[in-house]
Amino acid sequence: MMQKNKIIALSKSLYTRGIQCPKSLWLKKYKKEVLTPPDATALARFETGNVVGDLACGLFPDGKEVVYTPDDFTGMVETTEKLLDEGFEHIYEATFLYDGILVLVDILKVTPNGVEIYEVKSSTSVKDIYLHDVSIQHYVLKELGYSVVGSYVVHIDSSYVRGEALDLDGLFKIIDVSEEVDALELGIQKKLEEFKAYLSDDEPNIDIGAHCNTPYECDAKEYCWRVQRGIPDYSIFNIFNLGSKKQLELYTQGIVKIEDILDDFAMTAIQKQKVQNYKSQSTYVDKESIKSFLERLTYPIYHLDFETFQQAIPEWRGISPYQQIPFQYSLHIEHSEGRLEHCEYLAQDGKDPRYELAKSLVSDIPKDATVLAYNMSFEKGVISKLAESFSELKEHLLSINENMRDLMSPFQKKHYIAPKMQGSYSIKYVLPALVPKMLEAYKSLDGIQNGSEAMNAFAKLSLMSEDEKEKTRTALLEYCKLDTLAMVEILKKLRAEIEKESSL
């Protein structure tokens, strides 16, 4: 069928961007320099999406791909028409254009009764925004005269566990979303008219709100929040458990700074306490609770931190999609007199790292030792998975979990609150508030300065030259070592608060 109008004004990604916020759509079209570029984590997510999309084509074999050519979409449209004329049952990246709207269908299935649309996602569930994505494809094909007899989302099944070989039927779920898409398609014309009106006018004056973070954090958020409205890094939007309704109430009153909140504004006791602490720039310390926490720790204390990575498509037996796979740990062993020992493990790339890491861990940590982690639920989860996988190490691994304590606890329970923590108990905020010198130590690291960078670096080790690999391995070890040293310093700060009280 001849596809109408060769001028491209809108794609399915632009359409879904507009669904989240029409201002974001306008900025992407006319002022993209204000958008925050994707970071390494986002780029890795895009790459994962491409790999998953390619693999899902195996569910629909013997198809033909329309090669992605961003400077020749017209050619892609023509190739699609040619493949349809030639009678291919499955077409990957089938490209259609109608009234300035360009859509690429991940997998198009041609049946005797009409065509089916399959949208492939690397997530583990069907999100509402995916339905909008499929609906604009449905709309374009229908307007071009195709009979769309089914709409589907193909996504990863997180319950899948890999055996010796990869089973595509087990890895993926195919969800029929035809009914939902049909309902959304009825409102598309109105949406398109709305977007056209926005795009033919000046920059929209759309206020900030929940849509800035849902379903994704918008890449225009920095521009809309910081540049245009001057929202500070720590604002009413950071107050612990202050719901969006209360935030909106303050925001509509013109209040965004913590110091501008009136004393009689209705909040919980903890929220009021945090606001007052911030206003006075004072630190609140519940010394009795912290003392109780410290008394439950026995020496030597094993400060533990894992680095992990995830695979949408599991490479090794016994692993599920997006399972946290540990490849590294750092262990600072703190003795009663203050002496520190350091142990570490970093797996070799290109093979399943779990067993050798687990063996090293049980060698380094005795069964009855006090183990300290920051946000221990993560470390416990990793160790529990290792125990499930390696029965001969299970008893020892689970004993490590039984003796684990959480350094996050005093901060999460609000026993220690400092203004510089900005209402958070994440180590990202706690560390610079309690031990500012450590922030400079992280900044001085070469190449890897956070967990996301560590995860991405290890995942790419096998693609590196030997020189690059050696340099990256050194950077990984230095980063992870600093993480457990940071825990030692935080604990030292908590002890100092109690000792200060005792000396008075």
Side-chain angles (χ1 to χ4, degrees), residues 303-329:
H303 297 260
L304 174 65
D305 180 69
F306 285 120
E307 296 301 329
T308 64
F309 71 113
Q310 299 171 303
Q311 297 175 324
I313 304 163
E315 290 184 42
W316 304 297
R317 181 183 176 88
I319 293 179
S320 296
Y322 297 112
Q323 179 179 322
Q324 296 288 355
I325 306 170
F327 63 87
Q328 178 180 12
Y329 67 78

Side-chain angles (χ1 to χ4, degrees), residues 56-64 88-92 107 168:
C57 292
L59 296 168
F60 304 86
D62 304 319
K64 194 74 172 178
F88 280 92
E89 181 185 2
H90 299 139
I91 303 175
Y92 318 132
I107 299 166
L168 293 186

Side-chain angles (χ1 to χ4, degrees), residues 269-284:
I270 290 177
Q271 290 163 357
K272 279 183 176 293
Q273 181 188 77
K274 288 178 66 177
V275 168
Q276 288 307 121
N277 288 344
Y278 185 81
K279 284 183 175 182
S280 64
Q281 288 295 292
S282 63
T283 296
Y284 167 79

Side-chain angles (χ1 to χ4, degrees), residues 341-354:
E341 293 178 64
H342 183 248
C343 302
E344 60 190 4
Y345 180 86
L346 176 58
Q348 295 299 315
D349 58 281
K351 61 180 183 179
D352 186 348
R354 295 174 300 157

Side-chain angles (χ1 to χ4, degrees), residues 277-295:
N277 288 344
Y278 185 81
K279 284 183 175 182
S280 64
Q281 288 295 292
S282 63
T283 296
Y284 167 79
V285 182
D286 181 344
K287 295 184 189 293
E288 285 303 312
S289 294
I290 291 175
K291 184 179 179 183
S292 176
F293 171 78
L294 294 174
E295 286 173 345

Side-chain angles (χ1 to χ4, degrees), residues 199-263:
L199 292 173
S200 62
D201 205 344
D202 294 332
E203 180 177 331
N205 183 25
I206 296 176
D207 211 343
I208 62 174
H211 57 274
C212 298
N213 299 297
T214 306
Y216 310 111
E217 181 171 311
C218 180
D219 53 8
K221 185 176 177 180
E222 183 73 17
Y223 170 71
C224 296
W225 285 54
R226 308 281 184 254
V227 177
Q228 290 193 321
R229 289 167 179 80
I231 307 292
D233 287 340
Y234 185 43
S235 70
I236 60 168
F237 300 102
N238 302 102
I239 299 175
F240 178 71
N241 278 354
L242 188 66
S244 57
K245 187 176 179 181
K246 287 279 188 181
Q247 291 171 354
L248 181 62
E249 184 179 342
L250 287 167
Y251 181 67
T252 54
Q253 294 173 14
I255 297 173
V256 293
K257 295 180 179 179
I258 300 291
E259 52 267 37
D260 293 337
I261 298 175
L262 298 177
D263 292 340

Side-chain angles (χ1 to χ4, degrees), residues 111-285:
T111 76
N113 299 320
V115 296
E116 296 175 351
I117 296 169
Y118 292 83
E119 176 69 17
V120 182
K121 297 296 183 183
S122 58
S123 71
T124 57
S125 64
V126 177
K127 298 180 172 66
D128 286 345
I129 196 67
Y130 301 165
L131 304 177
H132 289 285
D133 191 329
V134 181
S135 71
I136 191 64
Q137 299 173 52
H138 182 282
Y139 170 83
V140 166
L141 267 67
K142 194 178 92 169
E143 291 300 315
L144 288 170
Y146 293 94
S147 174
V148 181
V149 294
S151 299
Y152 303 86
V153 171
V154 183
H155 70 78
I156 298 286
D157 184 351
S158 59
S159 68
Y160 169 71
V161 180
R162 174 160 181 161
E164 289 298 336
L166 190 65
D167 174 17
L168 293 186
D169 290 323
L171 176 65
F172 288 107
K173 279 186 174 181
I174 300 177
I175 307 299
D176 188 340
V177 295
S178 302
E179 188 175 331
E180 296 92 330
V181 167
D182 287 344
L184 285 174
E185 200 267 338
L186 296 174
I188 285 182
Q189 189 59 50
K190 183 178 178 181
K191 279 290 179 189
L192 292 174
E193 290 169 3
E194 177 188 329
F195 294 165
K196 184 178 179 181
Y198 275 113
L199 292 173
S200 62
D201 205 344
D202 294 332
E203 180 177 331
N205 183 25
I206 296 176
D207 211 343
I208 62 174
H211 57 274
C212 298
N213 299 297
T214 306
Y216 310 111
E217 181 171 311
C218 180
D219 53 8
K221 185 176 177 180
E222 183 73 17
Y223 170 71
C224 296
W225 285 54
R226 308 281 184 254
V227 177
Q228 290 193 321
R229 289 167 179 80
I231 307 292
D233 287 340
Y234 185 43
S235 70
I236 60 168
F237 300 102
N238 302 102
I239 299 175
F240 178 71
N241 278 354
L242 188 66
S244 57
K245 187 176 179 181
K246 287 279 188 181
Q247 291 171 354
L248 181 62
E249 184 179 342
L250 287 167
Y251 181 67
T252 54
Q253 294 173 14
I255 297 173
V256 293
K257 295 180 179 179
I258 300 291
E259 52 267 37
D260 293 337
I261 298 175
L262 298 177
D263 292 340
D264 61 356
F265 185 74
M267 290 181 289
T268 67
I270 290 177
Q271 290 163 357
K272 279 183 176 293
Q273 181 188 77
K274 288 178 66 177
V275 168
Q276 288 307 121
N277 288 344
Y278 185 81
K279 284 183 175 182
S280 64
Q281 288 295 292
S282 63
T283 296
Y284 167 79
V285 182

